[in-house]
Amino acid sequence: MAQATAPLEVEVVQVTQQDVPITSEWIGTLEGMVNATIKAQVTGYLLRQRYTEGAFVTQGQVLFEFDPRPFQAVLDQAKGEQAKAQGQLVQANAQLVQANAQLEQAAANQGRTQLDVDRYIPLAKAQAITTQELANAVQNNLGAKAQVAAAKAGIEVAKAAIVAAKAVVESAKAAVATATLNLGFTTIQSPIDGIAGIATAQVGDLVGPNSGTLTTVSTLDPIKVYFTASEQA
């Protein structure tokens, strides 16, 4: 006769309805809210890298330095051209002053010769002087008038020279400003606070505006996370 087995024990729990958190894991990529792309503004040889890759940098911190000597030479030359242009302007102003003085002298001389003509005409009619003396006075007056006209022309020439000299000065100033700006571009600074990335150029490389990105600087707070989840998830 078979021996009876003991009944099985069954656990029973009370079923309740409640929210259960669901967690999942994905691989994501962190990216700053602002990602500044650092590029060269001028063409030159990279002289120094002044930051550590992956380190935190502050706004205005120097990241790269280019060889400034060619740009300094251009700036010095531009300053020399500006000084030369300023000298030409001073000379043109002096010529205008001289031309005005010549006009005043010529006008005064013509006034005297005109008085002689006005005085000789009635004397010639009264035959108090010879006709030759009157003719000489008239001739002198015509010569004086020609000198006045020449002096006026000289003033116009001097004014034109001043206008041209001023244009050269302004052009020289613009060249100095451009050279100064380019010299400043030999030092590349971080525009924001953040993490500096890997440098794509090495010391000694010839880089320029067409060389692409030298590095990037990304902000930390706040920060974005990019990840890909399945449609079901």
Side-chain angles (χ1 to χ4, degrees), residues 81-97 158-173:
E81 293 296 330
Q82 182 181 359
K84 180 180 178 182
Q86 292 284 2
Q88 291 175 346
L89 179 58
V90 171
Q91 183 178 3
N93 284 320
Q95 290 175 350
L96 178 60
V97 172
K159 288 181 178 180
I162 289 176
V163 172
K166 286 182 177 179
V168 175
V169 168
E170 293 301 319
S171 178
K173 287 181 179 179

Side-chain angles (χ1 to χ4, degrees), residues 106-131:
N109 184 51
Q110 195 272 325
R112 288 193 298 270
T113 57
Q114 184 65 48
L115 289 176
D116 290 340
V117 171
D118 295 340
R119 183 165 54 89
Y120 282 5
I121 289 176
L123 293 176
K125 289 181 179 180
Q127 297 182 350
I129 63 172
T130 64
T131 56

Side-chain angles (χ1 to χ4, degrees), residues 22-181:
I22 300 176
T23 60
S24 299
E25 293 183 358
W26 293 279
I27 298 176
T29 301
L30 300 178
E31 186 174 321
M33 293 294 292
V34 178
N35 299 285
T37 301
I38 309 300
K39 294 183 177 181
Q41 299 295 319
V42 293
T43 300
Y45 288 97
L46 188 60
L47 200 62
R48 295 182 185 88
Q49 178 180 330
R50 297 282 297 274
Y51 78 99
T52 302
E53 296 174 349
F56 183 81
V57 297
T58 58
Q59 183 180 10
Q61 180 176 337
V62 177
L63 303 179
F64 298 98
E65 289 183 0
F66 289 84
D67 186 359
R69 291 174 297 177
F71 302 95
Q72 184 64 55
V74 173
L75 176 58
D76 293 340
Q77 182 179 3
K79 287 182 177 180
E81 293 296 330
Q82 182 181 359
K84 180 180 178 182
Q86 292 284 2
Q88 291 175 346
L89 179 58
V90 171
Q91 183 178 3
N93 284 320
Q95 290 175 350
L96 178 60
V97 172
Q98 182 179 3
N100 282 320
Q102 289 175 349
L103 176 60
E104 291 179 359
Q105 182 178 0
N109 184 51
Q110 195 272 325
R112 288 193 298 270
T113 57
Q114 184 65 48
L115 289 176
D116 290 340
V117 171
D118 295 340
R119 183 165 54 89
Y120 282 5
I121 289 176
L123 293 176
K125 289 181 179 180
Q127 297 182 350
I129 63 172
T130 64
T131 56
Q132 183 62 43
E133 289 176 320
L134 176 60
N136 292 337
V138 171
Q139 189 65 32
N140 291 336
N141 189 39
L142 292 176
K145 288 181 178 180
Q147 290 179 352
V148 170
K152 289 181 178 179
I155 289 177
E156 296 303 320
V157 171
K159 288 181 178 180
I162 289 176
V163 172
K166 286 182 177 179
V168 175
V169 168
E170 293 301 319
S171 178
K173 287 181 179 179
V176 170
T178 301
T180 302
L181 188 63

